[in-house]
Amino acid sequence: MGKRADRKQRTTRRRRKGSRARIACGVALLAVMMAGAGAAVAHYRDTGVRERPVADAEPVILETPATHTPARSPSPSPSPSASKKPEPSASSSPSPSPSSTRIDVPAVGPGTFRTAQADSSVVGEGARVRRYKVVVEDGIAIDPGAAADEVAAILGDERGWTEDGVNSFRLVGSGSYDFVVKIATPGTVDRICGAAGLLTRGEVNCSVGTDVVVNLKRWVLGSPEFAGPIGEYRALIVNHEVGHRIGHGHETCPGPGRPAPAMMQQIKGLQGCVANAWPYDGSGKYLGGPSVP
């Protein structure tokens, strides 16, 4: 009996010891698992902070609200009358044909300008004749006279603002004027527009006071949102900024597949519309859209 009792006691002690060992092992394993989970959470949070996407950095066109308060609301979409001209062919109403010569785009210029010595006749039948000059910043490889010819062709096009029956335009090289088209380097654009509190970031144009400020980068390179030839994009620049000068505000896309209004900020995206440089079509229909507050 004594030997049996000793064996029984030793068996009981081994079982207790094994249970304690298993418990200790389980606790240790649980601690390892919790530590691993904590490390995973810490890594996730740290990664999330570092990889958060930044805000969209695409340029926007910002302009002085007072400058662009519409003096009148353009007709949303007037129906062409029987007296309107038929749709012109490409040959009867050509788009401007800029030179194919490569033009460098300096980051900044001296801020002084050369004036195109030009004095044209009035284009349009509107009673409000707006006299304008064209100037080019010194150091830019653009001839002021050639630039003035191109701007005049845009403002005299029958798809342009003269079609409203209110406005006419006359290019002048001296004397009084209603506005001046300034083609300038990105740095000079930022300075002129920035003086009025506008943020152009060296990328876009602006319209302030009597100045229609054209960014050389856009004049030469166009916009990734505009698939047409560079002459058409230059027409959009002039029509958009001069549109502000004569009292038009921003508009947006009227519907998928329709022409984007000339007063739409097309550089920010077309919203389903088709790129378009002109405020009117060849039959006299206004290519507008809903107003942007």
Side-chain angles (χ1 to χ4, degrees):
M1 290 294 292
K3 292 181 178 179
R4 290 180 181 175
D6 289 342
R7 284 196 298 270
K8 185 174 181 180
Q9 288 176 359
R10 286 195 297 271
T11 300
T12 299
R13 284 196 297 271
R14 283 196 299 268
R15 287 175 178 171
R16 289 174 179 172
K17 185 177 181 180
S19 296
R20 287 196 297 270
R22 284 193 296 272
I23 291 170
C25 181
V27 170
L29 179 61
L30 179 59
V32 171
M33 292 174 65
M34 292 177 67
V41 170
H43 175 72
Y44 171 78
R45 289 174 180 167
D46 181 55
T47 300
V49 170
R50 290 203 312 264
E51 296 180 358
R52 186 176 297 127
V54 297
D56 188 349
E58 283 295 313
V60 295
I61 300 177
L62 303 173
E63 290 142 321
T64 306
T67 300
H68 299 128
T69 301
R72 64 177 184 85
S73 297
S75 174
S77 182
S79 301
S81 65
S83 62
K84 288 290 183 182
K85 300 178 289 296
E87 183 75 24
S89 65
S91 59
S92 64
S93 183
S95 297
S97 300
S99 171
S100 59
T101 304
R102 182 178 179 276
I103 299 173
D104 291 330
V105 182
V108 66
T112 55
F113 292 84
R114 295 164 287 156
T115 301
Q117 299 303 309
D119 194 355
S120 71
S121 58
V122 175
V123 294
E125 299 177 357
R128 178 66 169 92
V129 179
R130 298 180 185 269
R131 294 162 56 93
Y132 68 96
K133 296 196 301 183
V134 175
V135 301
V136 176
E137 187 173 10
D138 290 325
I140 294 177
I142 293 178
D143 176 64
D149 288 344
E150 194 165 350
V151 172
I154 293 167
L155 292 177
D157 194 290
E158 60 186 358
R159 297 166 292 175
W161 290 117
T162 59
E163 188 62 25
D164 64 7
V166 174
N167 291 282
S168 298
F169 300 95
R170 181 183 176 186
L171 173 64
V172 298
S174 61
S176 63
Y177 58 87
D178 294 279
F179 63 91
V180 55
V181 178
K182 293 184 174 180
I183 301 176
T185 57
T188 299
V189 171
D190 286 351
R191 180 180 58 78
I192 296 173
C193 302
L198 311 180
L199 183 62
T200 48
R201 299 191 182 99
E203 292 291 338
V204 293
N205 318 291
C206 83
S207 180
V208 57
T210 59
D211 290 342
V212 169
V213 190
V214 177
N215 192 313
L216 179 66
K217 182 182 291 187
R218 300 279 72 87
W219 187 260
V220 172
L221 302 178
S223 165
E225 294 291 339
F226 197 95
I230 189 64
E232 286 287 298
Y233 190 70
R234 292 176 185 177
L236 174 59
I237 294 173
V238 173
N239 286 324
H240 184 95
E241 301 302 341
V242 172
H244 285 312
R245 294 271 52 75
I246 63 177
H248 291 268
H250 284 138
E251 299 173 5
T252 190
C253 178
R258 296 179 64 180
M263 295 312 300
M264 180 178 175
Q265 292 174 293
Q266 296 183 39
I267 197 171
K268 295 175 66 175
L270 297 175
Q271 302 176 30
C273 270
V274 178
N276 164 59
W278 304 97
Y280 292 85
D281 68 11
S283 64
K285 179 182 178 181
Y286 183 68
L287 301 175
S291 297
V292 176

